């Protein structure tokens, strides 16, 4: 008899896995280590069970699934093997994990509308001041993600060049949602790339293109800003959907620069739409879940309403110049409806599951599992770079 799985209140706990091997080995270790967490999440996931799986069992939905999977296998076979390893290690069906990475591509492509009308999304603030060079981020997600995430610190070594960018070695630490590839939340790699993601919901999504989860997974291999742009453009295929990427490179020459890249789906060609804003010293970046510069038509509804209200809240503060300024902003709960830090109670559809602050001067990654205005960090990790 199967047991009904329910989520539990917020835990002050974030597990971490250190793993080394091939892409499949690393995926398998993730699946084996976090099998119970992944299985629980698959049972709790409303979008997966209510929308993605029913569409997967239709002819049109299966065609979209197959076309996108084949496209990803052509560009990034190593990441498909990594996800197959996770499925094997956790003893769950691969198609369920791949559906999570398709996200809203299938419902939008089949039914013409986003199936999740919720105020989903994250907030990111980059500060570029003397002595204060930080990238800070709230990880906001559907409430079932609460307690269903973990760190993966991986060193992947390949015998031969892998994928369209011929990568032979990757080393990174990423905060991962259960059953998801690294790369779509907060991350850094051993080349000194730090980045966070804001989900953006374009109105038109394309099957047979590269899902954003695989593009951001590939971003973990980037050695410099030129490579990062190349990965986001995804020449020859292009993105199936969109997101915003906030990033900096610790090893860059000259002044500290932070970049916000808005990526849009490749609707009219074979590369992603891309717009990049750069914050030089004395400047800052604030981004939520709405296109600010790239002219991409978006869905309507709560994700836009939430972004507008959070950006309005940020606008009520003076320009951030310190870590404490940023903590006050990301921990703010003053908005009437769409608060920045989201934790109203057990009935919340969207919750801020954690908050991260990358300090480029001290080279640390501080993670809070609760509101940073009122709680000490759960962990402070060093940023370990390649010699």
């Amino acid at each position: 008899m199967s047991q009904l799985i329910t989520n539990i209140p917020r835990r002050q706990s974030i597990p971490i896995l250190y793993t080394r091997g091939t892409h499949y080995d690393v995926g398998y270790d993730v699946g084996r280590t976090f099998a119970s967490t992944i299985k629980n999440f698959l049972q709790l996931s409303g979008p997966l069970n209510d929308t993605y799986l029913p569409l997967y069992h239709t002819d049109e939905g299966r065609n979209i699934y197959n076309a996108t999977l084949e496209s990803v296998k052509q560009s990034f076979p190593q990441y498909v093997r990594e996800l197959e390893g996770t499925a094997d290690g956790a003893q769950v069906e691969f198609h369920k994990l791949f559906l999570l990475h398709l996200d809203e591509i299938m419902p939008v492509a089949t039914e013409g509308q986003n199936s999740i009308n919720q105020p989903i999304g994250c907030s990111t603030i980059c500060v570029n001041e003397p002595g204060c060079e930080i990238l800070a981020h709230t990880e906001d997600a559907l409430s079932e993600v609460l307690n269903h995430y973990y760190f993966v610190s991986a060193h992947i070594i390949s015998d031969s060049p892998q994928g369209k960018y011929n990568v032979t070695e990757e080393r990174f630490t990423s905060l991962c949602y259960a059953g998801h590839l690294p790369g779509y939340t907060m991350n850094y790699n051993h080349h000194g790339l730090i980045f966070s993601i804001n989900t953006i919901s374009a109105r038109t999504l394309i099957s047979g293109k590269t899902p954003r989860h695989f593009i951001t997974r590939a971003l973990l291999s980037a050695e410099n800003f030129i490579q990062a742009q190349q990965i986001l453009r995804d020449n020859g295929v292009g993105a199936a959907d969109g997101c915003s990427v906030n990033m900096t490179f610790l090893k860059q020459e000259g002044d500290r620069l932070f970049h916000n890249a808005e990526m849009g789906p490749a609707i009219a060609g074979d590369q992603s739409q891309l717009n990049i804003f750069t914050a030089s010293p004395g400047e800052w970046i604030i981004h939520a879940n709405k296109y600010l510069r790239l002219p991409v038509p978006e869905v309507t509804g709560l994700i836009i309403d939430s972004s507008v209200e959070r950006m309005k809240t940020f606008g009520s503060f003076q320009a951030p110049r310190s870590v404490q300024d940023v903590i006050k902003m990301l921990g703010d709960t003053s908005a009437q409806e769409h608060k920045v830090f989201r934790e109203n109670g057990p009935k919340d559809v969207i919750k801020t599951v954690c908050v991260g602050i990358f300090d480029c001067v001290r080279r640390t990654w501080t993670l809070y599992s609760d509101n940073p205005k009122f709680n000490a960090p759960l962990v402070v990790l060093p940023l370990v770079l390649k010699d």
Side-chain angles (χ1 to χ4, degrees):
M1 182 177 179
S2 61
Q3 182 181 2
L4 179 65
I5 300 295
T6 57
N7 209 346
I8 57 177
R10 183 185 297 270
R11 304 296 302 165
Q12 302 299 316
S13 171
I14 304 175
I16 185 167
L17 170 68
Y18 295 93
T19 174
R20 179 172 58 208
T22 65
H23 286 276
Y24 181 87
D25 291 338
V26 165
Y28 187 89
D29 287 340
V30 170
R32 176 175 171 268
T33 303
F34 301 115
S36 63
T37 303
I38 293 169
K39 289 175 180 175
N40 283 4
F41 181 71
L42 292 179
Q43 292 191 46
L44 286 170
S45 174
L48 175 67
N49 294 296
D50 299 339
T51 302
Y52 306 160
L53 281 171
L55 285 174
Y56 173 78
H57 293 295
T58 66
D59 290 341
E60 188 178 6
R62 188 66 65 88
N63 288 338
I64 290 169
Y65 175 97
N66 289 335
T68 307
L69 178 58
E70 287 307 310
S71 176
V72 174
K73 282 183 175 179
Q74 290 296 315
S75 296
F76 304 114
Q78 73 273 34
Y79 302 142
V80 175
R81 288 196 300 274
E82 192 173 315
L83 196 61
E84 288 172 342
T86 300
D88 290 347
Q91 298 183 336
V92 299
E93 299 96 329
F94 171 82
H95 73 271
K96 291 184 177 180
L97 299 189
F98 192 74
L99 284 170
L100 293 176
H101 292 74
L102 280 179
D103 210 344
E104 289 295 285
I105 296 169
M106 192 180 291
V108 171
T110 57
E111 301 176 343
Q113 61 183 10
N114 191 294
S115 70
I116 307 174
N117 182 23
Q118 296 295 345
I120 291 174
C122 310
S123 304
T124 301
I125 301 174
C126 300
V127 177
N128 198 356
E129 292 289 334
C132 181
E133 302 168 3
I134 63 172
L135 187 158
H137 181 80
T138 63
E139 194 59 51
D140 303 338
L142 291 168
S143 59
E144 55 257 38
V145 174
L146 189 70
N147 307 316
H148 291 88
Y149 59 95
Y150 39 77
F151 280 117
V152 172
S153 186
H155 187 188
I156 300 175
I157 307 165
S158 304
D159 294 333
S160 59
Q162 299 290 305
K164 68 193 292 184
Y165 302 119
N166 298 314
V167 179
T168 56
E169 182 185 25
E170 293 183 79
R171 196 165 192 167
F172 57 80
T173 299
S174 174
L175 189 75
C176 303
Y177 293 174
H180 290 69
L181 288 170
Y184 198 68
T185 59
M186 295 178 262
N187 325 263
Y188 86 94
N189 72 12
H190 69 161
H191 300 297
L193 168 61
I194 293 168
F195 68 97
S196 70
I197 306 297
N198 312 117
T199 292
I200 304 180
S201 294
R203 190 184 305 163
T204 302
L205 308 183
I206 315 296
S207 66
K209 300 284 187 179
T210 310
R212 56 197 175 200
H213 286 75
F214 283 88
I215 289 178
T216 58
R217 173 63 188 85
L219 200 56
L220 283 168
S221 69
E223 297 184 24
N224 51 55
F225 186 48
I226 293 174
Q227 285 188 10
Q229 293 176 80
Q230 178 188 33
I231 290 167
L232 291 172
R233 289 195 184 280
D234 196 41
N235 287 312
V237 182
D241 41 12
C243 66
S244 155
V245 183
N246 313 278
M247 58 183 152
T248 190
F249 280 87
L250 293 178
K251 289 187 172 183
Q252 67 194 25
E253 296 181 3
D255 292 334
R256 164 74 47 217
L257 299 174
F258 289 94
H259 311 281
N260 172 260
E262 292 185 345
M263 183 184 76
I267 295 173
D270 61 359
Q271 69 174 24
S272 314
Q273 302 174 70
L274 196 65
N275 179 288
I276 295 177
F277 171 81
T278 297
S280 299
E283 299 177 332
W284 63 92
I285 293 171
I286 298 177
H287 210 287
N289 306 100
K290 184 181 187 305
Y291 285 111
L292 301 180
R293 304 177 307 278
L294 200 62
V296 174
E298 298 175 84
V299 301
T300 57
L302 293 174
I303 186 172
I304 301 300
D305 298 343
S306 169
S307 294
V308 169
E309 189 163 4
R310 279 178 283 138
M311 292 296 283
K312 183 179 178 181
T313 297
F314 292 143
S316 68
F317 287 86
Q318 292 185 339
R321 299 187 182 279
S322 68
V323 173
Q324 284 306 312
D325 289 345
V326 170
I327 286 175
K328 289 176 183 177
M329 294 169 75
L330 294 184
D332 188 270
T333 56
S334 64
Q336 185 170 354
E337 185 172 3
H338 301 296
K339 306 178 191 308
V340 176
F341 189 92
R342 304 188 231 189
E343 178 59 285
N344 291 327
K347 293 184 179 181
D348 283 347
V349 177
I350 303 297
K351 287 185 181 291
T352 299
V353 298
C354 61
V355 175
I357 299 177
F358 290 98
D359 189 320
C360 301
V361 176
R362 294 177 176 82
R363 294 195 173 184
T364 58
W365 181 4
T366 301
L367 210 92
Y368 298 82
S369 55
D370 213 327
N371 192 321
K373 279 181 66 175
F374 310 111
N375 296 275
L378 186 63
V379 64
V380 180
L381 298 174
L383 303 179
V384 181
L385 307 185
K386 191 173 185 177
D387 293 334

